């Protein structure tokens, strides 16, 4: 049985070694419509989302962690995690754009997303879920193989 696994690993290795590495480096992207904003402005409001890097995911988690004075994790702020993930993963519109921040009188991108009702909490959650899925966290990213 171990021999079969070894043969399978070699075959998979051969496939990976023969793959076009440029294609493997492509970052998954998806366009989504924010229906409420589209209805409000009278034309489609389309956001372009992308997968996050491991470093960006770690940065979003770090921003959401609340540590005690001893450096122990006290709390993980879910809304901050979602907000930071959306800020990293939304490439159009650029939610960090000074023009957008000024238009909505938001001092920071976090305030724009969390406090100005530019996006509703449920919209942020749905964008977060879409970015997580693009980043490989969704169902179907890895599947069992039958022998």
């Amino acid at each position: 049985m171990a021999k079969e696994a070894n043969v399978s690993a070699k075959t998979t290795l051969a496939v990976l070694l023969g793959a076009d590495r440029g294609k493997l480096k492509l970052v998954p992207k998806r366009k989504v419509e924010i229906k409420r904003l589209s209805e409000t402005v009278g034309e489609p409001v389309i956001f372009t989302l992308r997968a996050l890097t491991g470093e960006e995911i770690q940065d979003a988690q770090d921003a959401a962690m609340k540590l005690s004075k001893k450096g122990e994790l006290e709390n993980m702020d879910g809304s901050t995690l979602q907000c930071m993930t959306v800020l990293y993963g939304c490439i159009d519109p650029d939610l960090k754009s000074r023009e957008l921040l000024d238009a909505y009188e938001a001092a920071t991108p976090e305030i724009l997303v969390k406090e100005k009702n530019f996006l509703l909490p449920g919209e942020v959650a749905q964008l977060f879920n879409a970015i997580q899925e693009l980043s490989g966290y969704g169902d179907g990213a890895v599947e069992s193989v039958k022998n």
Side-chain angles (χ1 to χ4, degrees), residues 33-52:
E33 181 178 6
I34 309 297
K35 290 184 179 183
R36 177 187 59 89
L37 293 177
S38 294
E39 292 169 3
T40 300
V41 300
E43 58 185 284
V45 176
I46 307 297
F47 280 32
T48 304
L49 309 176
R50 67 167 176 84
L52 301 187

Side-chain angles (χ1 to χ4, degrees), residues 10-82:
K10 286 181 183 178
T11 303
T12 302
L13 178 60
V15 169
L16 291 172
L17 290 173
D20 180 347
R21 285 177 274 304
K23 288 182 181 178
L24 291 176
K25 291 181 181 180
L26 292 177
V27 176
K29 296 177 184 170
R30 177 182 309 156
K31 292 184 181 286
V32 297
E33 181 178 6
I34 309 297
K35 290 184 179 183
R36 177 187 59 89
L37 293 177
S38 294
E39 292 169 3
T40 300
V41 300
E43 58 185 284
V45 176
I46 307 297
F47 280 32
T48 304
L49 309 176
R50 67 167 176 84
L52 301 187
T53 65
E55 184 177 343
E56 289 168 330
I57 290 169
Q58 185 63 55
D59 288 347
Q61 290 172 344
D62 289 348
M65 283 196 268
K66 305 295 181 204
L67 301 177
S68 69
K69 290 181 181 179
K70 294 181 181 180
E72 297 171 351
L73 180 64
E74 285 186 347
N75 185 30
M76 179 70 84
D77 182 353
S79 69
T80 297
L81 178 61
Q82 289 182 352

Side-chain angles (χ1 to χ4, degrees), residues 27-32 46-53 55-57 59-60 80-96 109 113 119 124 126-135:
V27 176
K29 296 177 184 170
R30 177 182 309 156
K31 292 184 181 286
V32 297
I46 307 297
F47 280 32
T48 304
L49 309 176
R50 67 167 176 84
L52 301 187
T53 65
E55 184 177 343
E56 289 168 330
I57 290 169
D59 288 347
T80 297
L81 178 61
Q82 289 182 352
C83 174
M84 296 306 296
T85 298
V86 168
L87 290 175
Y88 282 124
C90 182
I91 55 177
D92 185 37
D94 177 4
L95 299 175
K96 300 170 190 168
V113 172
L119 294 169
V124 173
Q126 289 183 38
L127 291 170
F128 169 82
N129 290 338
I131 293 165
Q132 289 290 93
E133 187 177 308
L134 288 169
S135 301

